Amino acid sequence: MQKLMSFIIYFAALATSTAHGYLDLNESGELINQGEQRVGFAPQFILNRGGGTNASLFVEAGTSESTSTRATLEGGDVSFNAFVSMKYIPFPHVDQQPAMGIRGGIGIARDNDDNNLYFQVAPWPVKWWTLSWAPWSPMYTFLLSSTQQNLTTS
């Protein structure tokens, strides 16, 4: 068993590449009410490639009691990122049962000289706990992302 775990860790360390930070989830499994909108701002700090910062602005709208949509624009050290997504949470958080849903989206980004078109799917359970000082919702997800790099722009 120890050899298997060592192999998995070794393989994961060598087989993975540096992630593009703008491909993160940056969204919770919380739905807003139908007909309501939410506007938000999210800073991002880049710790590799010499460092830097990005800033993103998003607008989210509740489209039904189990879905919401979001549009995000981001800029900074990543030249440009635009992303639209839809959350579908068919099983809401009730008592001890966590909410369960899925999020899908499509985006386009320009990072240095790379033009990227990407698709994402993220299934996740969401569980809210009320602590003495604030509500808390850890998220667990397995973000599946497909990226087409170096699109021609002529």
Side-chain angles (χ1 to χ4, degrees):
M1 183 65 169
Q2 184 180 5
K3 286 184 180 184
L4 177 63
M5 290 303 294
S6 296
F7 173 76
I8 291 171
I9 292 170
Y10 177 76
F11 181 76
L14 293 180
T16 57
S17 61
T18 303
H20 297 288
Y22 56 87
L23 298 178
D24 63 356
L25 191 62
N26 202 18
E27 194 170 339
S28 76
E30 173 188 16
L31 290 172
I32 60 177
N33 295 329
Q34 182 176 356
E36 291 183 5
Q37 292 82 32
R38 178 184 301 165
V39 176
F41 170 79
Q44 181 184 52
F45 301 99
I46 301 170
L47 302 177
N48 66 347
R49 297 186 313 185
T53 58
N54 290 330
S56 66
L57 178 68
F58 68 85
V59 177
E60 185 171 0
T63 51
S64 76
E65 66 180 28
S66 59
T67 60
S68 68
T69 56
R70 178 183 278 213
T72 303
L73 289 175
E74 180 177 345
D77 286 314
V78 170
S79 304
F80 174 77
N81 179 33
F83 185 72
V84 293
S85 65
M86 181 175 174
K87 282 188 283 194
Y88 175 58
I89 311 286
F91 305 106
H93 179 268
V94 178
D95 298 326
Q96 297 300 315
Q97 171 192 311
M100 303 210 18
I102 191 165
R103 170 193 169 264
I106 183 171
I108 188 164
R110 179 163 178 83
D111 188 10
N112 296 325
D113 292 329
D114 293 332
N115 296 307
N116 302 303
L117 175 66
Y118 59 98
F119 305 91
Q120 291 183 346
V121 175
W124 77 81
V126 178
K127 176 72 174 146
W128 287 94
W129 284 280
T130 302
L131 304 177
S132 60
W133 48 275
W136 181 59
S137 175
M139 286 191 324
Y140 305 98
T141 187
F142 186 64
L143 180 60
L144 305 172
S145 186
S146 174
T147 303
Q148 176 64 47
Q149 236 176 358
N150 293 325
L151 303 169
T152 56
T153 58
S154 50

